[in-house]
Amino acid sequence: MQFKDIPGHDEVKSRLINTIKDNRISHAQLFLGQEGSGKLALAIAYAQYINCENRSDTDSCGVCPQCVKYQKLIHPDLHFVYPVVNGKGSNKPVSDDFLTDWRKFVLQRNYHRLDDWYDYIGSDNSQGAIFAQESQEIIRKLTLKTFEAEYKVMIIWMAEKMNETASNKLLKMIEEPPAKTLFILVAENEEMILTTIRSRVQLIKISRPTKENIIEALKKEFPNTDNQIIENSAMLSEGNYLEACSALKQFSSGTVETPYFELFTTLMREAFSAKYDNLIKLSDNLAKLGREKQKKFFDYCERMLRECFMLSSVSEKLVNLTPGELEFAKKFSPFIHSGNVGALSEHFGEANRNIERNAYAKLVFTDLALKISPLLRMKKN
């Protein structure tokens, strides 16, 4: 992985490169960014740049023995940890049990989503984690001498998925690692990482790519796609490259709406009509989605509420909606106003957090439906 393969993020790239030029590489760093920001790719590119034998002022060479192995993710001094699931041949799984799948998954593209990883390994809706036994593997690997490179690198993807036992076991290693050892934690939710871990790492904030960066990346990944489809996909992505890819595939196949559009419109109609029997049935269906998909649905609902509020109170020119979404929003937006939009958003956010905490999904959806029903019928002041 090279920096040039990742569109945008020029300021972060320059900062990372300067840590090497100035000989001030922090031994433990946290690459923090929202989904679709390319933070894992940046972590790998940074590690490759550190160990490149012929690096330039702006990037690794890409052809030396170190780079060749890094680009295949097979370098013996590059280690990965990531969430795994129980029941895949072991009751105490560790990342190495899934290493072949992991390499294929990461090399598919430069942007990665947790639920895509779960789908890739066939988790069957099981909630993955970085379990306690993983910490022993990390300590074992990092106490060995380096094989070839100057630095041993341990990249922990979705570090917020480390359970408390694993985190506590790694505290001393992160604080005082062996010489020429680099920890890179990659995460989306800083608050879910143990405070004692956060206090021991240098924070590197990774912003989402711009619309122009996403267009550039889409053209590279989908070179035969119509430019208008690419631009529309980038517009709807809200800085999330993975959402842009999803939209592009739907537009290219003739599907003009996002996956959660029908569920959202049904929820809003039934809630507004106060058809509680239908709402309970809908809650049953929503509860059958995997937890990651449930969280995506809540994110979609919050986006639609925001766009509807913008449409009703500001201007149609400022909204980013598909034709079908816009048609629905024109009819629905009068019911989203300053008197209820805050409370609606708060309820969806609370439901999302409850799902994140593994609450009983059917109860979460039913409770949400009952709470938003009177709010949707609230008259505008």
Side-chain angles (χ1 to χ4, degrees):
M1 189 77 65
Q2 293 178 274
F3 287 127
K4 67 180 179 64
D5 297 324
I6 311 163
H9 304 296
D10 292 339
E11 184 177 344
V12 171
K13 291 175 185 176
S14 178
R15 176 182 174 184
L16 294 173
I17 289 170
N18 284 335
T19 64
I20 301 162
K21 291 180 178 178
D22 299 339
N23 195 28
R24 50 180 177 83
I25 301 172
S26 177
H27 68 267
Q29 303 181 35
L30 170 60
F31 282 38
L32 182 68
Q34 293 178 306
E35 180 189 280
S37 61
K39 52 195 174 295
L40 176 59
L42 282 167
I44 298 171
Y46 178 47
Q48 179 171 319
Y49 186 77
I50 289 173
N51 285 310
C52 175
E53 296 174 1
N54 301 300
R55 57 178 176 255
S56 69
D57 287 340
T58 58
D59 214 338
S60 54
C61 71
V63 296
C64 71
Q66 308 294 338
C67 285
V68 170
K69 292 177 183 178
Y70 254 87
Q71 290 176 158
K72 296 178 181 179
L73 306 183
I74 60 173
H75 198 290
D77 296 313
L78 172 65
H79 306 285
F80 290 99
V81 166
Y82 35 83
V84 295
V85 294
N86 282 309
K88 295 295 176 180
S90 172
N91 292 325
K92 293 186 176 181
V94 293
S95 297
D96 281 355
D97 296 334
F98 298 79
L99 186 56
T100 300
D101 286 334
W102 171 254
R103 286 169 175 159
K104 292 177 181 178
F105 174 75
V106 172
L107 292 174
Q108 284 180 341
R109 60 159 55 120
N110 293 337
Y111 301 83
H112 309 89
R113 179 160 42 201
L114 184 59
D115 56 337
D116 290 341
W117 167 239
Y118 289 156
D119 288 343
Y120 195 84
I121 59 175
S123 67
D124 299 324
N125 293 332
S126 299
Q127 284 293 287
I130 298 172
F131 299 105
Q133 59 269 19
E134 193 79 67
S135 59
Q136 297 297 332
E137 283 295 298
I138 293 173
I139 293 169
R140 181 186 67 80
K141 290 175 182 178
L142 297 185
T143 52
L144 298 173
K145 292 183 178 180
T146 56
F147 285 88
E148 301 174 16
E150 181 181 3
Y151 273 81
K152 285 178 293 185
V153 179
M154 173 62 68
I155 297 177
I156 303 179
W157 182 62
M158 299 302 293
E160 60 265 55
K161 291 295 182 178
M162 272 198 297
N163 67 25
E164 187 172 350
T165 303
S167 298
N168 283 323
K169 286 184 177 181
L170 287 179
L171 284 176
K172 185 175 181 181
M173 176 64 76
I174 290 176
E175 186 171 22
E176 298 178 2
K180 299 292 185 177
T181 298
L182 172 61
F183 274 98
I184 304 180
L185 279 62
V186 180
E188 295 175 3
N189 190 334
E190 183 181 10
E191 297 303 316
M192 291 179 65
I193 300 174
L194 211 63
T195 303
T196 47
I197 293 281
R198 300 206 310 263
S199 66
R200 288 164 167 80
V201 298
Q202 180 183 31
L203 178 62
I204 308 292
K205 289 188 176 181
I206 312 295
S207 61
R208 279 185 166 178
T210 64
K211 178 183 175 182
E212 291 71 26
N213 296 151
I214 290 176
I215 289 174
E216 178 185 348
L218 288 174
K219 286 182 176 179
K220 184 176 181 180
E221 186 170 352
F222 305 96
N224 299 320
T225 302
D226 181 79
N227 284 338
Q228 190 60 54
I229 289 179
I230 285 178
E231 290 188 13
N232 289 343
S233 302
M235 178 186 69
L236 290 175
S237 70
E238 295 189 308
N240 185 333
Y241 181 77
L242 296 168
E243 290 300 322
C245 290
S246 297
L248 182 144
K249 290 177 180 178
Q250 291 159 40
F251 293 147
S252 298
S253 66
T255 303
V256 295
E257 303 309 334
T258 55
Y260 302 114
F261 174 67
E262 185 176 352
L263 287 173
F264 173 77
T265 57
T266 302
L267 175 60
M268 294 300 106
R269 289 189 178 110
E270 302 294 2
F272 180 81
S273 302
K275 296 180 178 178
Y276 296 116
D277 288 344
N278 291 346
L279 282 172
I280 291 173
K281 291 179 182 178
L282 179 60
S283 296
D284 287 341
N285 292 332
L286 291 169
K288 294 176 184 177
L289 297 173
R291 290 193 182 272
E292 294 302 321
K293 290 183 173 63
Q294 289 165 359
K295 291 188 287 184
K296 291 299 173 189
F297 172 66
F298 286 134
D299 289 339
Y300 177 79
C301 291
E302 290 194 73
R303 180 180 79 83
M304 284 297 294
L305 289 173
R306 184 172 63 252
E307 296 294 339
C308 286
F309 179 68
M310 292 290 290
L311 183 62
S312 66
S313 60
V314 186
S315 170
E316 181 177 331
K317 296 179 180 179
L318 297 179
V319 300
N320 294 320
L321 297 167
T322 66
E325 288 174 341
L326 181 59
E327 181 181 357
F328 173 80
K330 285 180 177 179
K331 300 174 184 177
F332 179 64
S333 60
F335 302 100
I336 306 299
H337 46 78
S338 58
N340 64 5
V341 67
L344 286 167
S345 180
E346 182 178 340
H347 288 317
F348 276 100
E350 180 185 19
N352 204 345
R353 290 189 293 274
N354 286 334
I355 290 295
E356 180 70 36
R357 298 179 185 123
N358 292 325
Y360 181 46
K362 183 177 178 179
L363 182 60
V364 171
F365 281 104
T366 302
D367 179 65
L368 173 67
L370 295 176
K371 285 178 176 177
I372 67 174
S373 183
L375 288 170
L376 291 175
R377 298 193 301 276
M378 182 183 293
K379 291 184 179 180
K380 185 176 182 179
N381 294 331

